[in-house]
Each structure stands twice: as C-alpha cells, then as structure tokens.
Amino acid sequence: MKIGLSTGGGDCPGLNSVIRAIVRYASATLGHEVIGIEDSFNGLLERPYKTRPLGLTDVSGILNRGGTILGTSNSGNPFKLKPGQDPKSCDKSQMVVDAYKDLGLDCIIVIGGDGTQRIASQFIKLGLNIIGIPKTIDNDLLQADFTTGFETAVEVASEAIIRLQSTAESHARIMVLEVMGRYAGHIALHSGIASGAHVILLPEIPFSYESIVKKVEERRQLCHNYSVVVVAEGAFEKGGEQVFQMRPSGKKNLGGIGQVVADKLSELTGSDSRITVLGHIQRGGEPCPRDRILGTLYGVKAVDMALKGEFSQVVVMHGHKLKAVSYQSIANGYRELEANDMYLDAAEAIGVCMGR
Ligand code: F6P
C-alpha cells in the first residue's frame, strides 16, 4: 500500500510519536510505503507537492520530540481558501483530490482535531480513503476519552499551578492562571485537581464572583490568606460572555478572561491579584509518557485499519479500548464536560469552588 500521512490543526505534544508508530509499523515492519504530506492538506495544494517518503531513519529519535516533523496548519481550508486580496473565498479541494490520485495514494491517515477532521470528512465525500487519528491538547474530540497531547498539557499546567501556590502563599495573593482548552474545560479541570487549585472556572459552568469571593473568605477564616484560581480560556461569568482577542489577521481567539477575573477579585476581596497566561507553552515541548504511548497505540491501530480497508473512520480511545468510529459521529461538534463528569464530581466533593 501507499499510505499518505498528514498532521493538521494546532500542533501538540505526541504528534511525532504517532508518525513514528505509523512509519515503523507500516513501512519497516510490513514493507508498505508511507508518504509524509507537509503542512496538512496545504502540502497537496502546492506544485510540486510538499511530500516526502518516510522511512526508519526519518523517524529515528522523534518519539519524545515536541511539534510535528511534517509541519501543520490551522488556517487554509482547501474548500474555502482566501487567495491574496480577493475577498471571495475559493474552493481548491479538487487540487488535493488530483494530487492524491497522481501520487497513487491508497489512503491518507489524517492526524488532527475537530477542524481538520471536518475537512477530512469533506474529502471522504469526494472519494478519498481517509482514516482519522485524534489529537489536541483540548481533549474535546467527540467519542474520544483521550486525545494525543492532552496529558502533556495537563502536566504543564499542573506544574504551573504548583509553582503559583508557593508564591501566592508568600505574598498572600490571589494567583489566577488562564489555561487553554477552547470551549471545553478538560485542561483546567484536570490540572486544577492535580495541583490543588482552590477555584476552577470552566466554560461549562458560568461562574458567579459571589461564590469565588465566598471561597476566598472561607480560606481566610482558616488563616490561608492566598488562593489559586484556574480559569479556562472559554470560561465566562453567569449572564456574561466569553472573552476574545482580535489578531491582526482578523482571526478571533479566546483569551483574556484571566485578567478580567484577577482584576475583579482584587476589587471584591481587597487582595492583591496576579494573572499568568500559560498560552502555547501547553502545546510545545516533550510529550509525556502517556501521550507517547497513546500516540503509538493510535498509529498502530490506524495502520491495521488501512490494511483492512476500513476507511472513513476515526480511531478513538473509549473506555480504555481502542475503537473505530464513523467520521459522521465526530465531525460535527466537540466534546465538553458532561454535567455528571466524574472528575467534576470529585473536584466538588473535595471542596474545590467551581464558581457555581
Ligand atoms: O485547539 C488547541 C488550541 O491550543 C486551543 O486550546 C487554543 O484556543 C487555540 O488552539 C489557539 O490557537 P492558535 O495556535 O491559533 O493561537
């Protein structure tokens, strides 16, 4: 077989672990060809194509390397490209289909989050054989309990919270940490639990300042004159709205709620507050062992599916089992925390304030 391989969307730790597993299994163990496609589908829009054959030497030493050796992009949907100054978007998807045929690919394994997989599902409709692998630090892909990259982001955020605890205590301050996660609170919740945050604010639970102030006061009664608050970038006040930042490109990104919360808590409690925005540090660097293992499992399973011709499906880890699910079931929407999420219940059981 000739298997194409691409990484799309925002990068995350563990992508190289997936690439390595696919190349080692499909190419070195089974003798098939693996063609790396650079910069997501954009590599097939270029002429000459931005592709290269991948063998054992190409993936040697990348298991614990951050980022992706294939490059990635989270802009440039081939179905809606905005060329130059032309305000009208244009559809260049046929160029990708032509490249797929011209390269003689039997399938493409697409490693990506929901945006990339939505684009992939459109290519399936145009006749391409595609198998999906979920990745994103946000852990918000439908049907998947864990996406590659999430555990590392939780580890990075957890370490930051632990570090903030001691400086918060020394200065009797409120320390606010804003973490990523888009419209889902998985990173905030897991890292907050792991590191003893006193308040965790999530997009799924619009918060009230009253409840946060109550928590800060309760802690003061116990002679704990400091508090650590973890805020998901998508969190917002009850009756309020999510906070976005406008990029010079015109793209809107979630971000800024941490500063808003820190300022308001200063005003309401009289405590000095500081904000730390963790940003892309959550996405960079070495993947943790769990992400390297998950990436390896996902890669091997995707190759097995390719060999059996099980296309138009996405590999997911669900209930500690690897499963293949249909593209339709994951491509329209994202996975937020459910009301009865066991991590949420545990956090509340031990007295963490969720801003309710
Ligand atoms: O989806 C991953 C993610 O890191 C989100 O958590 C965050 O909102 C977004 O990507 C940031 O995107 P960009 O890399 O374009 O700033």
Side-chain angles (χ1 to χ4, degrees):
M1 282 189 92
K2 201 168 183 183
I3 301 172
L5 175 57
S6 73
T7 47
D11 72 341
C12 69
L15 291 173
N16 286 327
S17 322
V18 186
I19 295 170
R20 173 180 177 269
I22 290 169
V23 172
R24 286 180 71 109
Y25 185 34
S27 168
T29 306
L30 300 173
H32 298 284
E33 258 182 279
V34 180
I35 304 295
I37 301 164
E38 294 172 16
D39 304 336
S40 192
F41 291 109
N42 293 354
L44 298 183
L45 290 173
E46 302 270 335
R47 298 293 182 267
Y49 313 126
K50 283 172 76 182
T51 57
R52 60 182 198 263
L54 295 175
L56 258 190
T57 49
D58 301 293
V59 297
S60 163
I62 67 167
L63 178 61
N64 59 346
R65 199 197 298 173
T68 160
I69 60 164
L70 291 175
T72 187
S73 166
N74 61 1
S75 60
N77 176 348
F79 290 87
K80 280 188 199 165
L81 282 178
K82 292 199 176 82
Q85 299 303 311
D86 184 350
K88 273 190 270 149
S89 59
C90 74
D91 183 348
K92 291 199 173 178
S93 55
Q94 192 55 42
M95 288 181 77
V96 172
V97 176
D98 292 344
Y100 175 92
K101 289 182 185 155
D102 188 35
L103 287 163
L105 297 178
D106 293 298
C107 70
I108 304 180
I109 297 177
V110 174
I111 310 168
D114 64 342
T116 305
Q117 302 301 3
R118 209 168 299 127
I119 297 170
S121 70
Q122 287 178 268
F123 279 118
I124 291 172
K125 290 187 191 135
L126 296 183
L128 268 54
N129 292 329
I130 291 184
I131 293 165
I133 293 183
K135 69 84 224 170
T136 164
I137 61 165
D138 304 334
N139 206 30
D140 62 350
L141 202 95
L142 284 169
Q143 306 261 11
D145 292 342
F146 291 103
T147 55
T148 317
F150 171 64
E151 296 282 8
T152 309
V154 169
E155 206 171 285
V156 172
S158 301
E159 194 199 333
I161 298 164
I162 294 281
R163 287 177 183 278
L164 290 173
Q165 297 269 12
S166 63
T167 173
E169 185 173 14
S170 308
H171 285 267
R173 279 177 172 158
I174 296 176
M175 286 293 185
V176 177
L177 178 73
E178 180 181 306
V179 297
M180 284 184 163
R182 248 179 5 159
Y183 302 108
H186 303 282
I187 298 176
L189 178 61
H190 286 241
S191 59
I193 292 175
S195 308
H198 310 112
V199 179
I200 304 175
L201 305 178
L202 308 166
E204 292 85 350
I205 306 176
F207 63 82
S208 84
Y209 283 108
E210 206 185 339
S211 85
I212 307 170
V213 171
K214 188 165 161 252
K215 178 72 182 175
V216 171
E217 290 301 337
E218 276 170 18
R219 288 182 48 73
R220 279 183 182 157
Q221 301 292 322
L222 298 168
C223 297
H224 299 313
N225 291 322
Y226 72 99
S227 293
V228 175
V229 180
V230 180
V231 189
E233 62 182 358
F236 57 99
E237 189 187 355
K238 224 176 270 176
E241 285 179 358
Q242 286 174 317
V243 180
F244 289 88
Q245 285 180 341
M246 196 59 104
R247 304 267 167 236
S249 62
K251 196 182 160 198
K252 252 176 34 171
N253 276 63
L254 277 167
I257 183 66
Q259 184 71 61
V260 174
V261 169
D263 290 348
K264 191 73 182 174
L265 290 182
S266 253
E267 180 192 319
L268 295 175
T269 64
S271 285
D272 199 14
S273 304
R274 291 288 189 278
I275 165 75
T276 303
V277 180
L278 207 46
H280 291 81
I281 289 170
Q282 293 157 99
R283 289 219 321 235
E286 181 170 316
C288 68
R290 291 298 326 160
D291 276 333
R292 306 203 289 259
I293 295 167
L294 185 63
T296 304
L297 292 181
Y298 276 161
V300 168
K301 174 77 176 172
V303 171
D304 278 336
M305 286 165 64
L307 299 183
K308 289 187 203 145
E310 292 173 0
F311 305 122
S312 312
Q313 300 189 72
V314 179
V315 191
V316 295
M317 175 68 87
H318 191 76
H320 289 286
K321 291 238 164 7
L322 277 180
K323 294 199 320 187
V325 297
S326 72
Y327 254 93
Q328 295 94 292
S329 67
I330 61 106
N332 298 307
Y334 62 93
R335 189 176 74 87
E336 55 183 7
L337 285 164
E338 289 176 10
N340 63 348
D341 181 276
M342 67 176 174
Y343 300 99
L344 197 54
D345 287 347
E348 294 204 282
I350 61 165
V352 179
C353 167
M354 313 300 300
R356 289 188 205 272

